[in-house]
Amino acid sequence: MTDIISFYTNPLSRGRIVHWMLEEVGAPYKVELLDFEKGEHKQPSYLQLNPMGKVPAIVHRGVVVTEGAAICCYLADAFPVSKLAPLPSEPARGTYFRWLFFAAGCIEPAGIDKTSPRANEVRPSALGYGSYDDVMNTIEKAVTPGPYLLGDRFSAADVYLGSQLVWGLMVKSIEARPVFSEYVQRLSKRPAYQRFMEQSKELEKALKSRAEKA
Ligand SMILES: N[C@@H](CCC(=O)N[C@@H](CS)C(=O)NCC(=O)O)C(=O)O
């Protein structure tokens, strides 16, 4: 069993969240690129790892972890030296989980519904995220005054929620608010974020050249 993390991704996917997280953690990892065009994520060898046929996924010490938010939590706990998660004994752990789960359970579906509205409207009381406006206002409260979700302390929750904002502001599933762009700008100055962005461009090129050669 190896300690090196296998990271299954596509550079234009939610794998970007985990790529950034891996750079924050600083643990050794190996990228396994999956070409969506070729359907590599739907091949039996990958479906064995993730029956959803989706990325990201990691394999670490023989265990498969899928779901971007779960992977961020897992890595923060598996590499405590990175100090990306409050310990179970710390009250801030509650706030940390709150925003991680809010980002996965509320921000993500609210953003998708914003850009691709459902044919049949769902009652806000039945919808886990309530209303788009409530989600936007709640994010604003969460990142104010900042600089991070846990105040002065950067955590894996910022990697996950911050990634949702970076992507959402770009595709306009998250409305532009000054406080959102200020938060995102702060995050994008992090050396780990910049390394991930550079590497991600290289992965895109690698995937393109692999496709051209095939
Ligand atoms: N719930 C998963 C969603 C993963 C997901 O939807 N990944 C997309 C890329 S962003 C994917 O793999 N799409 C390929 C497909 O479904 O064919 C997570 O949060 O990690």
Side-chain angles (χ1 to χ4, degrees):
M1 203 177 299
T2 170
D3 248 14
I4 297 176
I5 300 164
S6 298
F7 168 41
Y8 295 82
T9 192
N10 177 290
L12 296 174
S13 77
R14 290 170 175 86
R16 297 172 71 83
I17 305 168
V18 171
H19 195 165
W20 174 17
M21 183 66 191
L22 284 163
E23 284 299 317
E24 291 285 352
V25 159
Y29 67 93
K30 180 174 180 288
V31 175
E32 303 287 353
L33 269 185
L34 295 178
D35 189 332
F36 284 167
E37 299 293 316
K38 290 198 205 141
E40 288 175 350
H41 55 314
K42 303 295 180 191
Q43 294 304 310
S45 56
Y46 184 67
L47 292 175
Q48 225 179 359
L49 299 177
N50 185 2
M52 293 291 286
K54 284 182 173 286
V55 296
I58 62 163
V59 182
H60 184 219
R61 299 175 189 152
V63 170
V64 178
V65 191
T66 66
E67 309 309 310
I71 298 171
C72 288
C73 275
Y74 171 82
L75 290 172
D77 286 351
F79 299 95
V81 69
S82 62
K83 293 195 179 348
L84 291 170
L87 297 171
S89 58
E90 292 179 88
R93 181 100 167 164
T95 316
Y96 165 76
F97 278 140
R98 176 185 181 189
W99 297 126
L100 263 168
F101 283 75
F102 177 77
C106 297
I107 302 178
E108 172 153 330
I112 303 266
D113 284 354
K114 180 75 176 170
T115 48
S116 312
R118 301 177 197 217
N120 297 315
E121 233 174 78
V122 184
R123 281 176 296 120
S125 59
L127 206 52
Y129 70 78
S131 75
Y132 181 81
D133 288 344
D134 282 348
V135 172
M136 295 302 117
N137 293 335
T138 303
I139 304 172
E140 178 153 351
K141 285 213 172 78
V143 299
T144 308
Y148 304 115
L149 292 164
L150 302 180
D152 286 336
R153 181 171 180 180
F154 176 81
S155 74
D158 293 294
V159 173
Y160 190 73
L161 188 146
S163 296
Q164 303 269 11
L165 291 202
V166 170
W167 184 262
L169 289 169
M170 194 173 74
V171 301
K172 300 196 187 333
S173 59
I174 300 284
E175 70 188 22
R177 293 192 185 187
V179 70
F180 295 166
S181 36
E182 283 157 21
Y183 174 65
V184 157
Q185 269 166 31
R186 271 195 297 281
L187 297 179
S188 63
K189 291 200 179 100
R190 295 186 64 81
Y193 183 89
Q194 290 174 4
R195 284 197 301 276
F196 132 69
M197 286 293 279
E198 279 306 308
Q199 292 170 18
S200 200
K201 280 185 221 145
E202 294 306 313
L203 291 183
E204 268 188 71
K205 281 188 210 154
L207 207 53
K208 207 169 154 215
S209 88
R210 208 168 83 180
E212 282 164 2
K213 276 187 203 140

